Every structure is written in C-alpha cells, then in structure tokens.
Amino acid sequence: MTDIISAPATQRALNDSGRSDPSQPARGDQPGQPGQPGQSGDGRTQPLRQAVVRAAELARDAEERARSRQHAKGKHTARERLDLLFDAGTFEEIGRFAGGNINNGVAGSAVITGFGEIYGRKVGVYAQDFSVKGGTLGTAEGVKICHLMDKALDLKVPVVAIVDSGGARIQEGVAALTQYGRIFRKTCEASGFIPQISLILGPCAGGAVYCPALTDLIIMTKEHSNMFVTGPDVVKAATGESISMDELGGGWVHNAVSGVAHYLAQDEADAIDYARTVLAYLPSSSDAQPPVYAFGSGRTEREAAKRLASIVPDNDRQPYDMLEVIRCIVDYGEFVQVQELFGASAVVGFACIDGRPVGVVANQPNVRAGILDVDSSEKVARFVRLCDAFNLPVITLVDVPGYKPGSDQEHAGIIRRGAKVIYAYANAQVPMITVVLRKAFGGAYIVMGSKAIGADMNFAWPTSQIAVLGATGAVNIIHRKDLQKAREAGRDVDALRKSLAEEYERTTVNANLSLEMGEIDAMIDPEQTREVIEESLRLLATKRRVRRTGKHHGNQPL
C-alpha cells in the first residue's frame, strides 16, 4: 500500500521512541539533509503533522491487536489474507480510515477495501476484519463495500469477498440491515457481469449468508468456516435440537451435503490459493474473453491420448474414473474441480485445452454409474451457467445411464431440478462440444449437451451406445409378451432375453442412427478426442451471442 502511513518519514517517526512531541520533526528529518523523504526541494523539511503520526500509530496498533486475537484462534488477520491473495506489493487500499475517528483513537471500520493484482490482472476485494467490533457490518462498512463494488463494476474487474463477521451490528439496528440490502442489490447487479468469489474464513450468520450465496463461488475451510441463517442457540430454542456450529453449517456440511459451497480448503492459505487459481481461468468481465496461455503440444499429450482407449472398459456396467479421462485430454493434465464433494455422480471444473480455458462437464461412472440425480443436476446446471456468463467454452463428456429412479428423487423435485440442466444448456451461447464415450440413454442423453439442445459439435467413440433405454430394459418392455410366452412354454427365458438384447444393441443402441441423423458429427477413436476438441474450439472461436427475442428474461425453474 502506497500512502503517507507507509512513507519512510512516518515510519521513522513511529520508531523514534525518544520523541516527546509528535508534532516536532523526528530524528533524521532535520533541515539541511536534502534528498530525504518529507523534504522540499530546497532542503527544508516539510512538517510531519501530528494527526498523520497519530493515524499511523493507530494503524500499527490495530494490526498488532488483530494479530494477537486472530493468531490465537489459528487465523490470519485481514491484511495478512490480502498479502496471500494479491501479487506482492500490488494492493492499493481505498478509504483506509473511513468510518474511524483518529482523534478518539478509532483506526477505521471493520472492513478493508481496495484493489490489487492476481497474476498481473486487477481484482477488487473487501475483507472483513474480525478484530474490529467482531467484523460486524454497520453503515460505514456497508458504504465502503458498495463503493468498492461500484468501482469494480466501472473498471470491469472481479471482486473477492473475504468474510469473517459477526453479522449485522446490533447497536445500529435497521441501519445495518439496510446496508445488507444495498450489498445484496449490488451483488445481483454484478452477477454474470464480473466474477465474484466469496472466501468464508470465519463466521457468517443470519442475513449475512446471502451476500456470499449470491456470488459465483463460495470457498470454505475445514476449520473456522461457518454459515447458517439461524445459529445453534436459536435452533435449540425453536426446535429443541442440540447441534454444534460445524454440524449445522460448517465447511464439510456445505460442501458435501447442502451444496452451498464449491471448495473445501485445508486452511486459509489453501482457500486463497484456490481463489487465485479459479480467477486465472476467468476473464475480468463478461465483456472480455478468458486469458490465453502459451502451450506447445508434444509427446506428453500424444502419450496421454493413447491411454484413453485403455481407461474406459468395454463392459458398460464396469466403473472407471472419469478424472483419468479428463486429465488425458486437458493441458498438462491440470483440472480444477468445482463442488468436488457434492453431486459426485457428475464432475465439473476448469481446465485449458491448447492454452485456452474451458469448462468441463462430465458424468462420473465411479459414483452411482454416473447417473443424474437432483444434486448432480443442479451442480451441472449452475456450472454451465457460470461458463456461459464468462465466455468459457463447455466441453461435455457423456457416459450416463439416465436419471436416478425412485420416490426419493421424485419427491425431491427431480423434474424441477433436472429441468435446470435443460435451461442451462439450451440458453448457453458459448461454444459447446460434446463427446459420448460409452453410453447415453433417454432424457439424460438429451440434456447432457446433445446437438438437439444446442451443442455445436458432437462426437462419439466407436463403442458408444445411444438410445432411449439400455438393451436389457428395452427388451423387457418391447418383448414383454414374447418373454411371457417363452416362460409359459418352458423355454430358457434368460437365453431368449440375451439374444434379443444383442439384436437390439446391434440394430438400435449403437450410435449409427444418431450419426445418420446428423446428431453426431463424427465417430472418432478415443485417442483423437483431444485433437477434435482442439479443432472444434478453433472452428468455433468466432462464435458470438445472438439476441433472438426481445424478452426481458426467461422464467428459469428454481
């Protein structure tokens, strides 16, 4: 941070323990020493005002108090977190003493705002300071945050929110609640225009939870992170249930159970590093294209491509790890997962192909055969919307047997929540490339980036199966009467079923019909997968958005 507080003259004044009157020049700032900070061109020292020294003392003391309080809890101070977030020496603070009272010994408000650089690109931040009034939000804090967000919108740069707060400042009553309303509205205004990431590094309770809930990604840590609308005490008073803060709204709960959060970090440093990594894949705003990185394809990529054929088993019921497939396709095998612990039958995340950031969506046969359920549907839909908002092409790798059956799914709203996947793909206007690896059955085939729903380029591996139902299920329905007659006649029903299933696979389940209809653009060998995706991305590089109607917006199933 570059200001008078960090200037050499001010620092010497702070270190000058023998100084009795701070309004007098400190040792080393005497006249007749030209070239020293704080001196005029003719060698005369400009007076260092007492108020400036006082402000510097308050800033120093506040950080010392913050360290003693936060370190005792195993947490970093707000400023230490900013040092981890930004490239060294790039943070420029806005309104450092806004909301404070220097004469009365108040250094500032409970939030730090400003701009810095992450991998050389400008990013805005507001970081709540729990060492100041428990990080609570009042009028001064709300004004600072909204001002920061206005600036970020003007500059078209991302915003990172570092949350560590006791919530609304009770002493300010409705004035504090009003500020939350203003922040909600600003966050909604910024949604889809600039990337917004929330780092939950402490408590976040009550109405305050909706600030991060409205952002693109929420990152929590295994310890210290909590989010809940009503805390354990309120829950016990209202329902009689005794529950801890972690069990109610800890990092694990929101990553693995509720799906509210998108990454569970080991600690604060890991959480901040994940935020930096994600921002490296995203553009600064929806008006910009994602950054492009230098990449040279070579022997490593060719060897990885050859491994693809051996990863996916011929038996369509045998599981395998889709992550191995993804790592064989993307640059350097680097894949940044999003919501790894939630809706695990689907995999989503960021990667690069030929140096260009993309979003990857895939079924995970290792988890419930890669089936679509209520959780994985919402996970896929939200990620596709994120990619579409920020101009990232969507690569979809399909191996899906269908939707998960059962009353629990129907009662949980699989119709409504599954429709979100349709809405996301059907409305996306970024380049979309789909590869069917092994099987794609029923409605799940349609929603997972089929050409009918809007994908630009669709490919399939030679052994892929595309149909309304798998062979066995289809035979049980189509040949129900034939199987019944065979049973009554004492014939081998299982042998007949197997024979009919083989015939159905040969004539119907393979991808030939989709190829003949133009729903599949080409049949490719597994080792050609990366190559055809690269070629398709180059072909679609000039694809642009088209406004097809004059409507205000659609009514997405929610």
Side-chain angles (χ1 to χ4, degrees):
M1 177 65 192
T2 304
D3 65 5
I4 190 63
I5 303 305
S6 59
T10 309
Q11 294 303 308
R12 283 197 298 273
L14 287 175
N15 294 330
D16 191 354
S17 59
R19 179 170 48 87
S20 58
D21 184 356
S23 65
Q24 298 300 316
R27 288 197 298 270
D29 287 330
Q30 301 301 326
Q33 297 178 359
Q36 296 294 324
Q39 293 181 350
S40 62
D42 61 3
R44 291 179 299 170
T45 303
Q46 294 180 354
L48 198 58
R49 297 184 183 276
Q50 182 178 3
V52 172
V53 178
R54 176 60 175 154
E57 289 174 341
L58 288 174
R60 178 197 60 192
D61 295 344
E63 184 62 13
E64 288 177 355
R65 284 195 303 272
R67 280 195 294 268
S68 65
R69 293 178 182 180
Q70 294 289 88
H71 290 183
K73 303 173 186 175
K75 298 163 65 175
H76 289 90
T77 70
R79 295 187 184 278
E80 288 172 339
R81 291 164 177 167
L82 296 179
D83 288 340
L84 290 172
L85 178 66
F86 291 120
D87 300 345
T90 63
F91 179 61
E92 293 291 332
E93 190 168 353
I94 295 176
R96 179 164 190 165
F97 294 97
N101 189 324
I102 295 173
N103 290 334
N104 290 334
V106 180
S109 68
V111 68
I112 301 167
T113 58
F115 293 88
E117 292 182 0
I118 295 178
Y119 297 120
R121 297 162 59 211
K122 192 176 296 297
V123 174
V125 69
Y126 67 86
Q128 293 174 322
D129 188 347
F130 197 82
S131 69
V132 178
K133 299 179 181 178
T136 53
L137 185 129
T139 301
E141 289 78 13
V143 169
K144 285 184 71 173
I145 291 172
C146 289
H147 177 66
L148 180 280
M149 296 192 69
D150 281 334
K151 284 293 183 184
L153 287 167
D154 290 342
L155 297 172
K156 299 181 181 180
V157 299
V159 169
V160 175
I162 300 179
V163 180
D164 189 0
S165 169
R169 190 168 297 151
I170 298 174
Q171 296 90 328
E172 295 193 26
V174 73
L177 297 179
T178 298
Q179 295 305 319
Y180 274 121
R182 295 182 63 219
I183 296 170
F184 294 163
R185 190 169 183 180
K186 288 293 179 188
T187 307
C188 292
E189 182 182 344
S191 180
F193 180 62
I194 55 174
Q196 299 179 88
I197 297 178
S198 297
L199 286 156
I200 313 300
L201 303 183
C204 182
V209 298
Y210 294 109
C211 290
L214 292 167
T215 61
D216 299 305
L217 293 171
I218 296 175
I219 302 167
M220 300 181 73
T221 58
K222 288 186 175 181
E223 297 181 358
H224 308 306
S225 290
N226 298 110
M227 293 178 71
F228 36 71
V229 176
T230 55
D233 292 342
V234 177
V235 170
K236 184 172 179 60
T239 69
E241 178 186 9
S242 295
I243 189 168
S244 70
M245 292 177 67
D246 280 343
E247 292 171 329
L248 181 62
W252 173 262
V253 168
H254 285 311
N255 275 271
V257 181
S258 72
V260 168
H262 301 83
Y263 181 69
L264 180 62
Q266 293 291 331
D267 51 30
E268 292 188 9
D270 183 29
I272 292 170
D273 182 67
Y274 184 82
R276 285 174 56 88
T277 300
V278 166
L279 287 172
Y281 290 93
L282 297 172
S284 293
S285 75
S286 61
D287 286 348
Q289 292 298 311
V292 178
Y293 300 100
F295 179 79
S297 184
R299 180 179 176 180
T300 302
E301 284 66 44
R302 291 192 296 271
E303 293 297 323
K306 290 178 182 178
R307 288 201 303 272
L308 279 175
S310 62
I311 294 174
V312 181
D314 292 333
N315 183 347
D316 64 3
R317 292 180 177 273
Q318 185 175 341
Y320 64 93
D321 191 353
M322 182 62 78
L323 293 176
E324 291 186 38
V325 174
I326 295 171
R327 292 179 184 126
C328 286
I329 295 172
V330 302
D331 294 355
Y332 307 114
E334 294 179 357
F335 180 56
V336 180
Q337 280 201 71
V338 175
Q339 284 189 302
E340 179 180 356
L341 302 176
F342 181 74
S345 60
V347 173
V348 301
F350 302 103
C352 284
I353 294 181
D354 197 26
R356 299 180 179 277
V358 298
V360 178
V361 176
N363 306 109
Q364 176 53 289
N366 251 357
V367 180
R368 295 186 293 278
I371 207 162
L372 283 178
D373 57 16
V374 290
D375 290 342
S376 59
S377 293
E378 288 195 333
K379 173 179 176 175
V380 167
R382 182 82 195 292
F383 185 74
V384 171
R385 295 285 282 176
L386 172 65
C387 292
D388 185 52
F390 296 113
N391 306 316
L392 263 67
V394 176
I395 311 299
T396 307
L397 305 176
V398 183
D399 189 348
V400 60
Y403 283 96
K404 183 180 179 181
S407 59
D408 62 326
Q409 291 293 298
E410 298 297 343
H411 297 170
I414 188 63
I415 297 173
R416 168 176 54 83
R417 294 161 78 176
K420 296 179 184 182
V421 184
I422 299 173
Y423 196 94
Y425 273 105
N427 283 279
Q429 294 197 30
V430 291
M432 290 192 290
I433 302 161
T434 301
V435 183
V436 180
L437 306 188
R438 193 167 62 171
K439 59 183 177 295
F441 294 152
Y445 156 70
I446 294 295
V447 306
M448 286 293 293
S450 68
K451 181 158 286 193
I453 209 169
D456 299 292
M457 303 294 291
N458 289 61
F459 305 94
W461 286 6
T463 56
S464 60
Q465 301 176 345
I466 302 175
V468 176
L469 281 175
T472 302
V475 164
N476 286 337
I477 294 174
I478 298 172
H479 297 284
R480 181 178 65 254
K481 292 183 179 179
D482 295 331
L483 293 172
Q484 180 63 31
K485 289 177 181 178
R487 185 177 293 105
E488 292 171 354
R491 295 170 56 192
D492 188 341
V493 176
D494 290 338
L496 177 61
R497 182 183 289 108
K498 181 179 179 181
S499 174
L500 293 171
E502 289 174 352
E503 176 66 14
Y504 184 81
E505 283 189 3
R506 186 180 65 80
T507 61
T508 307
V509 175
N510 63 60
N512 288 349
L513 180 59
S514 297
L515 198 61
E516 293 164 1
M517 292 176 59
E519 293 300 304
I520 297 295
D521 291 300
M523 201 79 74
I524 62 171
D525 285 330
E527 65 181 78
Q528 293 178 292
T529 305
R530 177 186 166 93
E531 179 184 350
V532 298
I533 292 175
E534 282 186 14
E535 292 172 352
S536 298
L537 287 173
R538 285 193 287 270
L539 173 66
L540 299 168
T542 56
K543 182 181 180 182
R544 294 294 179 264
R545 301 181 186 278
V546 177
R547 189 177 179 88
R548 295 188 175 90
T549 70
K551 66 182 179 182
H552 180 48
H553 61 69
N555 188 16
Q556 179 181 356
L558 296 171

